[in-house]
């Protein structure tokens, strides 16, 4: 009867190149990785510092077709002095929900052209307007008619196209009592 002996060192030893092939020699790969430092661009820290600049440059190219982006100096003339109702959207570049609804607000500016003016106000660049109109959440939509904020027209957070249409139709359509 043949007996086999078990050697713990044989079980732990990495496979040799002759028995499993050169591409399976894991111990050699690990040694190479440890002795050769990674290239500067491949380090985590280098990548982390480059990415925010690239993203910031992309955010600056805001698409505003029929929308008008104004600041606090233009606010009295564009919003308070307007003959037609004005939808004011308070946004920020860093706000995810603001970017999410930008296409919906763009659609509304095209859909209600002539009946409604849509303006965007940057939250970070206009602190006076933010405190004056008590904008606490972003994005915030406020409807103005005849230079006054329409009561109960304030809307905070993301909104779908259907909900925005209902919201605008509710405030823009004249209600008559028969």
């Amino acid at each position: 009867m043949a007996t086999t002996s078990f050697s713990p060192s044989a079980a732990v030893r990495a496979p040799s190149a002759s028995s499993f092939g050169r591409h399976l020699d894991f111990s050699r790969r690990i040694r190479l990785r440890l002795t050769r430092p990674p290239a500067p661009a491949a380090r985590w820290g280098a990548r982390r510092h480059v990415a925010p600049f690239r993203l910031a440059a992309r955010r600056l190219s805001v698409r505003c077709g029929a929308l008008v982006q104004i600041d606090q100096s233009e606010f009295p003339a564009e919003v308070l002095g307007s003959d037609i109702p004005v939808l004011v959207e308070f946004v920020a570049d860093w706000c995810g929900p603001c970017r999410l609804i930008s296409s919906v607000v763009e659609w509304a500016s095209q859909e209600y052209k002539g009946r409604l003016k849509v303006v965007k106000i940057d939250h970070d660049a206009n602190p006076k307007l933010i405190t004056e109109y008590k904008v606490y959440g972003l994005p915030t939509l406020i409807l103005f008619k005849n230079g006054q904020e329409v009561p109960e027209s304030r809307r905070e957070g993301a909104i779908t196209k259907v909900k925005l249409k209902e919201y605008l139709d509710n405030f823009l359509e004249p209600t008559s009592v028969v």
Side-chain angles (χ1 to χ4, degrees):
M1 196 178 204
T3 61
T4 57
S5 64
F6 175 74
S7 168
S9 62
V12 175
R13 191 176 333 140
S16 67
S18 62
S19 63
F20 289 103
R22 190 172 177 90
H23 62 281
L24 293 177
D25 191 2
F26 298 113
S27 63
R28 183 172 182 196
R29 281 189 189 169
I30 293 171
R31 274 196 308 267
L32 287 176
R33 280 193 194 141
L34 295 177
T35 57
R36 190 174 358 155
R43 289 189 189 132
W44 169 250
R47 229 185 264 160
R48 193 176 81 208
H49 294 296
V50 173
F53 296 114
R54 205 175 313 137
L55 293 175
R58 210 177 313 150
R59 282 188 206 142
L60 293 177
S61 60
V62 177
R63 182 175 60 99
C64 293
L67 296 175
V68 180
Q69 187 158 3
I70 63 170
D71 59 5
Q72 51 200 25
S73 65
E74 300 167 322
F75 187 80
E78 291 286 330
V79 177
L80 303 178
S82 178
D83 297 335
I84 60 174
V86 181
L87 178 66
V88 178
E89 179 190 18
F90 290 93
V91 296
D93 290 339
W94 47 264
C95 172
C98 299
R99 285 180 282 173
L100 185 69
I101 71 164
S102 65
S103 61
V104 175
V105 175
E106 177 81 25
W107 167 84
S109 68
Q110 295 289 334
E111 182 75 18
Y112 294 95
K113 197 172 200 167
R115 297 187 323 163
L116 178 72
K117 181 193 258 185
V118 181
V119 298
K120 277 189 175 190
I121 296 176
D122 184 28
H123 175 273
D124 298 329
N126 302 291
K128 182 182 170 194
L129 288 175
I130 298 303
T131 56
E132 182 179 346
Y133 289 101
K134 297 180 177 97
V135 176
Y136 298 124
L138 291 178
T140 298
L141 301 173
I142 303 175
L143 191 66
F144 287 84
K145 278 187 185 177
N146 302 323
Q148 300 284 333
E149 179 180 343
V150 176
E152 299 180 16
S153 71
R154 183 178 296 253
R155 184 84 196 231
E156 290 183 0
I159 187 171
T160 63
K161 185 191 261 188
V162 173
K163 291 287 185 183
L164 183 62
K165 184 168 175 45
E166 290 174 10
Y167 166 79
L168 291 174
D169 288 342
N170 185 32
F171 288 111
L172 292 178
E173 296 299 319
T175 56
S176 59
V177 179
V178 178

